[in-house]
Amino acid sequence: MDVERELNALRDAIREHNYRYYVLDEPSIGDAEYDALMRRLRALEAEHPELITPDSPTQRVGSAPSEQFAKVRHPQSMLSLANALNREELAAWHARIRRLLGEEEPIAYVVEPKIDGLAMAITYRHGRLTVAATRGDGTVGEDVTPNVRTVHSVPLRLRPPTGGDEIPAVVPEQIEVRGEIYMRIADFEQLNSEQAAAGEKIFANPRNAAAGSLRQLNPQITAGRPLRFFAYSIGPISGVRLTSQWQTLAYLRALGFPVNDDIRRLESFDEVVRYCEAWMSRREHLAYEADGIVVKVDSFTQQAELGVVARDPRWAIAFKFPARESMTTLREIVVNVGRTGRMNPNAVLDPVVIGGVTVANATLHNEDYILSRDIRIGDRVTVKRSGDVIPKVVGPVTSARTGEERPWCMPSECPSCGEPVHREPDAADYYCVNAACPAQLVRRVEHWVGRGALDIVGVGEEQARLFVERGLIHDVADLYTLTPAHFEGITGYGPKRIANILQGIVASKERPFDRLIVGLGIRSVGETVAALLVRQYRSIEAIMSATEADLVAIPGVGPHIAEEIVRFFRHEPNRTLVSKLKAAGLCTEGTATPALAGAALVGKTFVLTGALPSLTREAATELIEAHGGSVTSSVSKKTDYLLVGDAPGGSKYIKAQQLGIPMVDEVGLRALIGAELSLRAGPRAEGEGQPTTERRAPSGSIVAAQMNLDL
Ligand code: IVH
């Protein structure tokens, strides 16, 4: 093959793989194969530099650092959006557009998650990326072309659309694509820990990280940052006529741009409201930060009729989610000792309301976290609260420093028992290693009496503290030695209350074996692993004598967990504790219990395709993970199930069909969990083979609830 032909073939193949990997999230070759193609292309280009084209996949990082960014005037202003902070404001917006368009006229809406990144305008001439500019003030932005070229999900060259479904089958002569450059939350956290380790700047949130990464004068730095792109609209376009937002998004997708899968076209305002509200809770499960939902009138004719006021189009609005970040003053840093002896630094804050909840304490993780972010006592700090997660201090607002702030360091002694604290060479945490430390014991008792463990009604933090401080108990087994006499003279503890507490303690002896394992508080051993251990070993003695090799052989137990289990039982005081518990009459043997519901899908890999009737993708993923399974993005021989939503037929479906991978719908998924539950709830039959659900279904058939009844 002549060189030019080979170069073109290689570039086409690599472009296609990039598109599959970065845009569709469905790679069809492995990293090694991809690397081999890139290496071949680089080698050929090195031999024939005259044949290098600017849109070659090797040319994402080509230019030298610049002195400063050139200004770019946007040919069409980049607008901003008016906000609706609640349902009423959204309804008021709707009433206004209704009035302007006429009460009778049907209106369709496009709803889009409002990704928190930074807006870009990227121009393509004859299908090639020419200029990429930031939004700037909406009229003039900065030319960041070399940097944007390093973002893999931004095509350097447009894909020729195949047309159909109102999608024009041509590449436009010129098009300005608008969208958001952003960073996923996980990538942002990873970047921050790398930055901290290198002593570099820490970013306050994914938005700042994206902005900071894009506005680098050296594109090599941008290239190393995990930036992504979503396209959501267009500026000037020539050679193609588009008539609606929905059609535009489909066209952008066809040209090779990533378009958010969660975008919907809705035909009634009620649905818009429902979508916005449903998203308030979904937001917690997203891979990226979204600060609201953008609601747009779909038809371009209607958009033109509604027009723009100042900078805000009347045809769109941002329904904003409650803020999750705020600023306040860090008054003190206190150290709490956890049940494993871990020293947890916590921030005492001036109370601040974030998303409707008052926050007065927040986690600071560990000493490295505080030092790498240079968080000082007295600092103004950014505090973040997301969903159920404990609020955390993100970092200081250094511009607000007065010079009065005091650096902090980890105390050298445990604040509870006064023993010296200890840090393993490569670990981030300090521990109080005194087995008799009262603070640790209080936490261990709290854990023991908790819902997921022995669930002792009437005993909580207050009682745990009381028992420990009065020297009534020295380990959790001592709870079972308590008598009414021990409470004598304690104010607030009358006969009835005492009887309740003691009854609660006695009742806990009836709890199944796996709860006792949870209660022991072995690191990394929660309900799922406890249930697996019980199913495998059936008695505490058997678990205690298992080796790491035995343990890792159990699907769902990794080497780290195995190590923790062995370490726990090697420790003599823990073995003594187990004997005491057994002597006290607790249940130290048994078979699997309904708690095994948590393990029904252990070792099973799912791929999701299409929208499910009542579960979001994130909720489905959570459900699968909560039962021990995992979710991956592409179908392979290793996939156990394809979870199919509406309108199956895409590439994942076809591949699963070819490989004969069982398919389940949402009902089927629930049945798998339920079916396994009943299967494992009873005593385990000798020689029980593979769980029934592992059988491969006939090619392409959907395993629904009924089909699992033959268990
Ligand atoms: S549309 C009139 N759609 O929000 C149209 N903007 O305040 C204006 N944004 O600067 C933009 N996701 O950075 C639009 N799906 C989306 C968006 C979105 C995020 C940002 C964008 C813009 C700001 C508008």
Side-chain angles (χ1 to χ4, degrees), residues 79-81 112-115 119 135 180 232 294 296 313 315:
L79 301 174
S80 54
L81 286 169
E112 310 174 4
K114 186 167 183 296
I115 304 134
R135 177 175 181 276
E180 202 83 351
Y232 55 66
V294 186
K296 299 174 183 172
W315 47 264

Side-chain angles (χ1 to χ4, degrees), residues 77-83 111-120 135-136 178-181 207 230-233 245 249 260 263 289 291-296 303 308 311-318 320:
S77 296
M78 291 184 76
L79 301 174
S80 54
L81 286 169
N83 291 333
V111 284
E112 310 174 4
K114 186 167 183 296
I115 304 134
D116 212 4
L118 74 162
M120 299 295 312
R135 177 175 181 276
R178 294 180 174 183
E180 202 83 351
I181 296 262
R207 205 202 97 78
F230 266 136
Y232 55 66
S233 72
Q245 172 66 6
L249 294 171
N260 195 325
I263 291 177
E289 286 277 4
D291 59 346
I293 297 292
V294 186
V295 184
K296 299 174 183 172
Q303 287 190 4
V308 175
R311 290 232 154 218
D312 302 338
R314 275 209 203 87
W315 47 264
I317 192 149
K320 293 292 281 256

Side-chain angles (χ1 to χ4, degrees), residues 61-134:
V61 192
S63 31
S66 27
E67 297 288 302
Q68 61 174 63
F69 299 113
K71 299 278 181 249
V72 179
R73 179 166 289 275
H74 298 299
Q76 204 175 78
S77 296
M78 291 184 76
L79 301 174
S80 54
L81 286 169
N83 291 333
L85 298 180
N86 49 46
R87 198 193 240 263
E88 290 69 38
E89 292 184 11
L90 188 61
W93 169 77
H94 177 244
R96 194 163 55 241
I97 62 165
R98 262 258 147 269
R99 211 174 39 246
L100 290 167
L101 291 176
E103 299 296 330
E104 297 305 315
E105 189 163 313
I107 310 174
Y109 309 85
V110 174
V111 284
E112 310 174 4
K114 186 167 183 296
I115 304 134
D116 212 4
L118 74 162
M120 299 295 312
I122 311 176
T123 303
Y124 292 80
R125 291 205 182 93
H126 303 293
R128 306 285 198 275
L129 189 159
T130 52
V131 183
T134 61

Side-chain angles (χ1 to χ4, degrees), residues 447-520:
H447 177 74
W448 180 262
V449 303
R451 282 257 191 90
L454 280 291
D455 194 11
I456 303 185
V457 192
V459 183
E461 187 186 350
E462 178 195 321
Q463 290 72 24
R465 210 171 278 287
L466 182 85
F467 300 157
V468 172
E469 279 170 8
R470 295 197 159 228
L472 303 180
I473 62 172
H474 300 96
D475 58 33
V476 293
D478 288 345
L479 284 171
Y480 300 91
T481 64
L482 291 175
T483 64
H486 288 114
F487 291 84
E488 223 162 82
I490 306 178
T491 39
Y493 286 80
K496 207 162 157 199
R497 189 164 184 197
I498 297 170
N500 270 341
I501 292 175
L502 295 180
Q503 228 164 45
I505 294 175
V506 171
S508 76
K509 293 186 188 179
E510 304 302 317
R511 303 276 183 264
F513 180 27
D514 60 324
R515 300 285 204 95
L516 176 130
I517 307 232
V518 173
L520 290 176

Side-chain angles (χ1 to χ4, degrees), residues 149 500 615:
R149 288 174 62 92
N500 270 341
L615 287 173

Side-chain angles (χ1 to χ4, degrees), residues 61 65 270 306 357 432 469 494 588:
V61 192
D270 285 350
L306 290 166
V357 172
C432 163
E469 279 170 8
T588 56

Side-chain angles (χ1 to χ4, degrees), residues 101 104 112 129 165 176 205 211 214 292 304 359 387 419 453 542 623:
L101 291 176
E104 297 305 315
E112 310 174 4
L129 189 159
D165 257 1
E176 183 193 297
N205 52 43
L214 195 76
V359 175
E419 293 285 314
L623 187 67

